[in-house]
Amino acid sequence: MARILGYIAASLDGFIATSEDSLDWLFKYEGLDLGPHDYSVFLKRIRTVVMGRGTYDFIAGEPSPWAYGDQRVLVVSSRPIDDPKGPLQRRQDVDALIAELRSLDDGDVWMLGGGQLQMAFLERGAIDEIEIYVFPELLGGGRPLFPATGLRATPRLLSAQALDRGCVRLHYAFDGASQ
């Protein structure tokens, strides 16, 4: 059964993007040494990438090439995706998607991005673990790491580690996740 994982960067004040949906604060850390926790290492163990429409639109608007050629990509959206940037499939029903993901046995699933879809998975107990990379930046507002929905949870800390240039890696397990 596939594990559903989160891997995300956040500012010290808990935002994943600025109010203008910019990641300029994060891009200045390009070349950061995350060692065995580097994004490229993480991505190699991922078979399926799941993202919401907002995350897909952000990625599709970037000039960089499609980074998920080796993964199955599922975009949760009620609207069709005309001229997709890379190979992908569209899903609409979150509960059906979670059941589909849990039936996979060919590798881990990554919940890419943040916001509404990630919270929908958390509310359904469908994220097994999350790695949060906290950067020493105060954005003062923007897109929150976890939108306020009233969800209360007590994840279990697996590890906390200081990394390069003031970045801290927090690794949590959600024991209530459906496994």
Side-chain angles (χ1 to χ4, degrees):
M1 176 176 7
R3 293 180 317 141
I4 301 174
L5 309 174
Y7 180 101
I8 193 163
S11 65
L12 186 58
D13 54 354
F15 297 100
I16 60 174
T18 67
S19 300
E20 298 79 29
D21 289 329
S22 173
L23 296 178
D24 60 344
W25 65 275
L26 183 59
F27 294 148
K28 73 183 194 180
Y29 289 91
E30 203 162 307
L32 182 78
D33 181 9
L34 296 179
H37 309 297
D38 189 76
Y39 168 77
S40 62
V41 174
F42 173 80
L43 194 57
K44 286 179 185 172
R45 62 181 229 237
I46 298 299
R47 175 61 185 106
T48 305
V49 176
V50 177
M51 66 183 84
R53 183 59 182 260
T55 299
Y56 169 77
D57 287 343
F58 179 84
I59 292 170
E62 292 293 304
S64 56
W66 185 247
Y68 311 109
D70 294 335
Q71 287 82 22
R72 172 189 308 116
V73 177
L74 304 174
V75 177
V76 180
S77 178
S78 59
R79 297 176 286 129
I81 299 172
D82 300 322
D83 193 28
K85 184 167 186 171
L88 57 85
Q89 300 171 36
R90 189 172 56 90
R91 300 290 187 273
Q92 294 185 55
D93 183 298
V94 171
D95 293 313
L97 174 58
I98 291 168
E100 176 185 349
L101 296 173
R102 290 294 185 198
S103 72
L104 299 175
D105 62 2
D106 61 351
D108 289 336
V109 175
W110 176 26
M111 282 297 309
L112 171 59
Q116 188 176 349
L117 183 61
Q118 184 162 282
M119 185 52 71
F121 271 61
L122 283 168
E123 289 173 324
R124 289 164 173 82
I127 292 186
D128 298 300
E129 295 178 16
I130 189 165
E131 294 178 47
I132 303 170
Y133 293 81
V134 180
F135 286 82
E137 296 286 332
L138 296 173
L139 301 183
R143 300 271 182 184
L145 174 61
F146 297 112
T149 65
L151 173 70
R152 292 187 61 158
T154 307
R156 181 171 43 91
L157 180 66
L158 299 176
S159 67
Q161 180 174 21
L163 300 169
D164 189 27
R165 294 168 58 191
C167 178
V168 176
R169 175 182 178 262
L170 302 171
H171 186 191
Y172 290 97
F174 290 91
D175 294 328
S178 307
Q179 296 187 25

